[in-house]
Amino acid sequence: MPSATDDLIQRLYEAPPEGFVASRSAAIEDARKAGDRATAKRLAALKKPTVAAWVVNLLALRRPELIEELVELSTALREAQRGLDGAALRELTNQRRQVVSALVSAAGMLARAEEPSIKLPLGEVEATLTAALAEPEIAAQVRTGRLIRAATYAGFGEVPRPRLRLVTDEAGTHAEDDDEGDEGGEVVEFPREKDADRAAERRRREYEQRHRELRRELSNAQAAEKRADEQLERAEAAERDAGHLVEDLDAELAELERRRTEAQADVARRKQARRLAERETAAARRQVGDVQAALEDLESDEPE
């Protein structure tokens, strides 16, 4: 059963991406206030999805049964490729186009219902769903509803056709197309069929070579993506730490400002007290002078 945190993460990835950062920050702050450091750390690791990834996430979260249909079709396509079943592959390829088109349409409707004014990169959505058909790993990522960027795949390639041949048995029974062959179970190949076989074999080799190249490119791109993600995580962590430092300094500055205001008020009170003391001192000195003068006058008039 999904936890409360899982439900929160699902809501984050269902909402339009423009509000993702603010919503994530608010959720992190709530977790920190609640003393839940593990949840705060988990939320801080979440990445903002692109618009295309968000559209695919909506489809996976709101219409998971459509994604399951996509996965079933993917399995059928791979089986047809392994079996070199050209007819089945052509039929499934046509079906693939129809399914992907229907899924893109459904995803677009969901996204527009959430954010009518947003510009939808449906080409990237289609590329991601097509990639999910080709790669089980991408399909698994799509199922989570937490994609952060669109995916691409070069295509399924050409599948070579089976070799065309005529096989006869010892009784001279015909096989295909009512063409006659030699006796004794011999395989008879026609020149044009040999040419077709060579062309198919060439296409197969080209496909395999291109597939290997693209797999290498994909591996390199994934490694670069991982490095970029790690760099982004470090940058985000540094940004959060810097933000927390600014918050702490702001709090210290506020405290210092309060103490400064109190000190200024105390200085004003002490200045007023000093001035009062100065006036009292001056009055006392005048009184001392007056008394001394009176005493001197009295002493000068003392009878002999």
Side-chain angles (χ1 to χ4, degrees):
M1 181 177 180
S3 66
T5 303
D6 291 329
D7 290 338
L8 172 59
I9 293 174
Q10 177 171 328
R11 291 195 299 272
L12 286 173
Y13 280 97
E14 278 184 322
E18 63 181 10
F20 182 89
V21 174
S23 298
R24 180 188 59 188
S25 298
I28 292 172
E29 186 63 23
D30 290 343
R32 285 176 177 157
K33 289 180 179 178
D36 191 348
R37 294 184 178 180
T39 296
K41 183 177 180 180
R42 184 180 175 189
L43 293 172
L46 299 178
K47 298 179 180 63
K48 176 183 176 181
T50 63
V51 174
W54 168 67
V55 175
V56 177
N57 289 338
L58 268 183
L59 184 66
L61 295 171
R62 302 278 180 83
R63 298 294 303 277
E65 73 281 2
L66 296 181
I67 300 300
E68 293 306 316
E69 291 180 10
L70 193 73
V71 172
E72 292 175 3
L73 177 59
S74 173
T75 301
L77 276 165
R78 284 194 297 274
E79 290 177 353
Q81 282 185 300
R82 285 193 295 267
L84 298 180
D85 189 342
L89 187 60
R90 284 192 295 273
E91 180 180 351
L92 289 170
T93 299
N94 291 332
Q95 186 178 349
R96 178 194 69 186
R97 296 191 187 99
Q98 296 171 2
V99 169
V100 170
S101 177
L103 265 61
V104 170
S105 178
M109 291 177 62
L110 290 171
R112 291 188 185 95
E114 288 290 322
E115 188 64 39
S117 61
I118 196 169
K119 183 177 180 181
L120 300 179
L122 296 182
E124 295 181 35
V125 174
E126 180 178 358
T128 300
L129 295 173
T130 301
L133 271 170
E135 290 288 350
E137 293 180 359
I138 297 177
Q141 294 174 14
V142 168
R143 276 172 161 169
T144 67
R146 299 181 188 178
L147 285 181
I148 59 173
R149 58 179 58 86
T152 57
Y153 186 75
F156 289 90
E158 294 290 335
V159 177
R161 291 181 297 172
R163 295 179 59 173
L164 300 178
R165 60 185 181 178
L166 176 65
V167 181
T168 59
D169 57 20
E170 294 180 356
T173 305
H174 298 300
E176 302 175 14
D177 298 328
D178 293 328
D179 290 328
E180 294 184 358
D182 297 335
E183 296 180 355
E186 182 181 359
V187 176
V188 181
E189 297 186 356
F190 297 96
R192 62 180 180 180
E193 293 170 350
K194 292 181 180 179
D195 292 341
D197 289 342
R198 284 194 292 269
E201 179 65 19
R202 183 175 63 255
R203 288 196 299 272
R204 185 185 63 80
R205 288 196 301 269
E206 291 174 352
Y207 163 77
E208 291 177 349
Q209 180 180 356
R210 181 58 177 161
H211 188 271
R212 288 193 297 269
E213 292 173 353
L214 290 173
R215 294 294 297 181
R216 284 195 297 270
E217 291 179 13
L218 176 61
S219 178
N220 294 336
Q222 288 174 334
E225 178 189 30
K226 183 179 180 181
R227 291 193 297 271
D229 286 341
E230 292 173 349
Q231 183 178 0
L232 176 59
E233 289 176 1
R234 290 193 296 270
E236 288 177 340
E239 180 186 10
R240 288 193 300 271
D241 292 342
H244 296 156
L245 177 60
V246 170
E247 292 173 358
D248 294 341
L249 291 175
D250 285 341
E252 292 179 12
L253 285 173
E255 176 62 18
L256 290 173
E257 184 63 27
R258 183 188 64 78
R259 292 171 58 186
R260 179 175 179 273
T261 301
E262 292 179 353
Q264 287 177 330
D266 188 53
V267 168
R269 288 193 298 270
R270 294 180 184 277
K271 182 181 291 186
Q272 184 178 3
R274 177 184 59 79
R275 289 174 178 173
L276 178 59
E278 286 177 346
R279 289 195 296 271
E280 291 176 350
T281 299
R285 286 174 179 171
R286 285 194 301 271
Q287 184 178 4
V288 168
D290 292 344
V291 173
Q292 285 179 340
L295 180 60
E296 290 174 357
D297 289 344
L298 179 61
E299 289 177 347
S300 64
D301 294 336
E302 180 181 1
E304 295 181 358

